[in-house]
Amino acid sequence: MNEVNLIHEIQVTAIYAGVHGLLAVLLANFVLYARLRGSKVPDWQPEAAFRVQANFIENVPIALLLLLVLELQGVQTILLHACGGTLFVLRVLHAVGLGTYQGANYPRLIGAQGTFVLISVMAVSCIATAF
Amino acid sequence: MDELWIVCLGLGMIWQGLLITWVSGLPLAIRAPDTPKPQAGTPEAFGFFWIEQYRFIGLILALAGFVLAMTGWLI
């Protein structure tokens, strides 16, 4: 019975963990795509695809962990959806910006810096809910 | 509840199968069977086999996933 209750308590995190899991697989395949189509993609794209996936792996697990903690701490559902949804949009922006355009561009900037801000806000919120 | 897991298994297989197909395309044996093949025993032949095998894995994953998802949904 406790197990069933726990599943309901982390419903929001379950949604965003699942969505980001699918995005992680997509980005991993994008690395293969850029490598296998070496002659058909720009020289810079394989390295960029690799960096998109690496940055995703560096940032998303900690963001999802923070989301899980916030949900277990009883934060409002609407705020949890705002965090999870924003994280997804920011990671897509970063992937599009870094993976499809060479050099500095706004999707990449907003995606990367937005993720850092979001993680910072969620981290501070986690600490705040402890008191 | 068991049917849900079958559907999930199928949808996961479809997702990765379609991504492999996006990455490598459909198998040449289906798409372009007349494509000249490298001489057997050469590194090019191994590369050709390896990518073709990868293409088949993607196609079979997607098709098997579809069958599993439909099975779980219809049970």
Side-chain angles (χ1 to χ4, degrees):
Chain A
M1 196 62 185
N2 286 337
E3 193 177 287
V4 172
N5 286 338
L6 184 63
I7 289 170
H8 286 290
E9 283 170 13
I10 60 166
Q11 196 173 25
V12 178
T13 303
I15 291 169
Y16 292 104
V19 167
H20 285 88
L22 292 175
L23 183 57
V25 176
L26 172 65
L27 296 179
N29 278 277
F30 181 53
V31 175
L32 293 172
Y33 177 89
R35 284 182 180 169
L36 280 176
R37 310 269 173 123
S39 58
K40 295 179 182 174
V41 299
D43 289 342
W44 55 269
Q45 202 168 39
E47 177 64 22
F50 180 72
R51 287 185 59 200
V52 167
Q53 192 211 10
N55 289 353
F56 184 94
I57 297 302
E58 287 165 6
N59 292 298
V60 170
I62 187 72
L64 290 176
L65 180 63
L66 292 168
L67 187 68
L68 173 63
V69 172
L70 290 174
E71 186 160 20
L72 290 174
Q73 290 286 67
V75 170
Q76 287 175 292
T77 304
I78 186 76
L79 293 176
L80 296 172
H81 279 297
C83 290
T86 304
L87 177 67
F88 181 75
V89 170
L90 290 171
R91 292 326 300 173
V92 170
L93 277 175
H94 180 261
V96 170
L98 182 54
T100 58
Y101 301 105
Q102 188 178 17
N105 58 74
Y106 282 112
R108 176 182 170 184
L109 173 72
I110 295 167
Q113 297 303 317
T115 302
F116 299 153
V117 172
L118 180 66
I119 289 175
S120 301
V121 170
M122 291 168 75
V124 171
S125 303
C126 274
I127 296 169
T129 58
F131 298 100
Chain B
M1 196 61 182
D2 289 342
E3 299 81 20
L4 176 66
W5 291 114
I6 296 174
V7 173
C8 290
L9 178 64
L11 292 177
M13 289 168 67
I14 289 172
W15 177 247
Q16 176 58 11
L18 290 179
L19 285 174
I20 289 177
T21 304
W22 169 61
V23 167
S24 59
L26 286 169
L28 287 181
I30 296 171
R31 179 164 42 111
D34 297 331
T35 303
K37 297 177 178 53
Q39 189 181 356
T42 61
E44 291 77 22
F46 180 74
F48 182 87
F49 154 75
W50 200 255
I51 296 296
E52 187 72 348
Q53 172 188 247
Y54 190 58
R55 293 180 181 123
F56 269 109
I57 289 171
L59 182 64
I60 290 168
L61 263 180
L63 292 177
F66 179 75
V67 170
L68 271 178
M70 290 303 292
T71 303
W73 187 49
L74 293 173
I75 285 177

